[in-house]
Amino acid sequence: MMRSVVRGVGSALPSRVMRNADFEGIVDTSDEWIVQRTGIRERRIASDAETTASLGEAAARAALASAELTPDDIDAIVLATSTPNNTFPATAVEIQERLGMHHGFAFDMQAVCSGFVYALTVADLHILAGKARRVLVIGAETFSRILDWTDRTTCVLFGDGAGAVVLEGQEGAGTTTDRGIIASSLRSDGSHKEKLYVDGGPSTTGTVGHLRMEGREVFKHAVAMITDVIEDVFAQAGVTAADIDWFVPHQANKRIIDASARKLGIAEEKVVITVDRHGNTSAASVPLALAEAVGDGRIKKGDLVLLEAMGGGFTWGAVLVRW
Ligand code: UT7
């Protein structure tokens, strides 16, 4: 049976660090409130020269280097983003051009914070269907560009960055000991669309708009939705929380991550946390966290890794992958 194996991983962050204290002169907030309610201490903010395409390109190059591959070896690029460089063409196509890749195909996927989990699943299906052998899957965002910097309930929460993986089709035995993606589960429910959205767009206002969120409402649903899709991938694979080596959740709020891990029975020391330093980077958060935990030697070949995300729409999903 064909499996989509993670062959390389990489990330890129803007160099500018914005600490909680830096917001104190901008909106009525405090380092103490932000740390207590979210676990965030700092985030990266893109310079004028940095874009979703440039960050995505840098993460893609890092992932290719770690896979010991070049753009010539890649058949397709799937970019998860809600902050594309332009309304069209797809930013994935711009990254394809930046990589000097003139074959294959590239497209964007939009599932907000769940974007990377959606993109991984779609890339996996292309590989399983024989449409591509190697796919570059990128999550890249510049949420700083769509924040209302006068709204303290949202502007302190988000950051910019990008992460990427190279997925490669390899033969497996069809068991959960195979390397690669073992199970995935995607969900959405548009009845929640007004709880987290951007108040502009090409077909409505003709503007880009700003992010709006009823944070408490999102929080209320998050843990149940996250645990629902995780229990689904556990059931598909026939594994339990005890089998998980690393839990790499979407990094929106440390309290949501802790509550989800507790509910699932996943030990604290197995949870990868970057929200303290990255804030919520939407579709980039999971691959950024993956790149960190692989880079520092925590995630090793053969480990069972659980990915999860939840965001605007609502959308939510989970992927179980043997590293
Ligand atoms: O990635 C997509 C998914 N997104 C999420 O998962 C985000 C989910 N939501 C959350 O993480 C949390 O709901 C927030 C961090 C957004 C807010 O935390 P909370 O504990 O739910 O706080 P709250 O919204 O209930 O607000 C509590 C108080 C309010 O004041 P009053 O009404 O009690 O007087 C807010 O106005 O905190 C106030 N507040 C702030 N105070 C200082 C809201 N933002 C701030 C702020 N600084 N930045």
Side-chain angles (χ1 to χ4, degrees), residues 13-91:
L13 287 163
S15 52
R16 183 182 161 208
V17 177
M18 189 165 178
R19 299 192 172 82
N20 290 349
D22 299 331
F23 283 92
E24 289 174 3
I26 299 175
V27 287
D28 180 15
T29 191
S30 63
D31 175 52
E32 190 192 2
W33 189 95
I34 301 169
V35 172
Q36 269 184 11
R37 301 291 178 130
T38 71
I40 299 167
R41 293 182 183 277
E42 60 184 49
R43 73 287 291 141
R44 301 297 183 98
I45 301 293
S47 69
D48 290 347
E50 288 165 320
T51 64
T52 295
S54 73
L55 292 167
E57 177 200 359
R61 287 190 184 281
L64 285 167
S66 94
E68 298 181 326
L69 294 170
T70 73
D72 290 346
D73 302 312
I74 299 298
D75 302 312
I77 301 173
V78 187
L79 170 69
T81 189
S82 299
T83 46
N85 274 33
N86 295 84
T87 303
F88 77 80
T91 302

Side-chain angles (χ1 to χ4, degrees), residues 111 114 118 185-189 225 228-229 232 309 314-318:
S114 311
Y118 269 63
S185 181
L186 301 182
R187 285 296 321 277
S188 67
D189 181 351
M225 289 178 161
D228 170 54
V229 279
D232 185 30
F314 292 149
T315 56
W316 63 108

Side-chain angles (χ1 to χ4, degrees), residues 204-276:
T204 50
T205 59
T207 63
V208 171
H210 291 110
L211 182 148
R212 307 290 172 204
M213 177 165 73
E214 294 171 40
R216 211 176 309 185
E217 281 297 307
V218 182
F219 197 109
K220 222 166 69 185
H221 293 278
V223 176
M225 289 178 161
I226 289 165
T227 51
D228 170 54
V229 279
I230 289 175
E231 277 159 7
D232 185 30
V233 295
F234 282 178
Q236 287 177 42
V239 302
T240 69
D243 299 310
I244 300 302
D245 295 300
W246 294 104
F247 180 36
V248 186
H250 172 48
Q251 310 280 324
N253 186 320
K254 177 85 164 45
R255 287 156 57 209
I256 296 175
I257 296 172
D258 290 346
S260 307
R262 216 176 306 123
K263 189 167 173 207
L264 291 158
I266 297 174
E268 204 180 329
E269 58 273 15
K270 294 181 175 179
V271 185
V272 177
I273 300 284
T274 54
V275 69
D276 53 334

Side-chain angles (χ1 to χ4, degrees), residues 18 23 43-45 83 142-151 153-160 196 198-199 208-213 280:
M18 189 165 178
F23 283 92
R43 73 287 291 141
R44 301 297 183 98
I45 301 293
T83 46
T142 44
F143 261 49
S144 62
R145 304 266 156 76
I146 56 163
L147 295 175
D148 175 350
W149 287 89
T150 66
D151 175 11
T153 70
T154 53
C155 72
V156 302
L157 303 174
F158 295 89
D160 302 331
L196 175 48
V198 167
D199 63 3
V208 171
H210 291 110
L211 182 148
R212 307 290 172 204
M213 177 165 73
N280 181 348

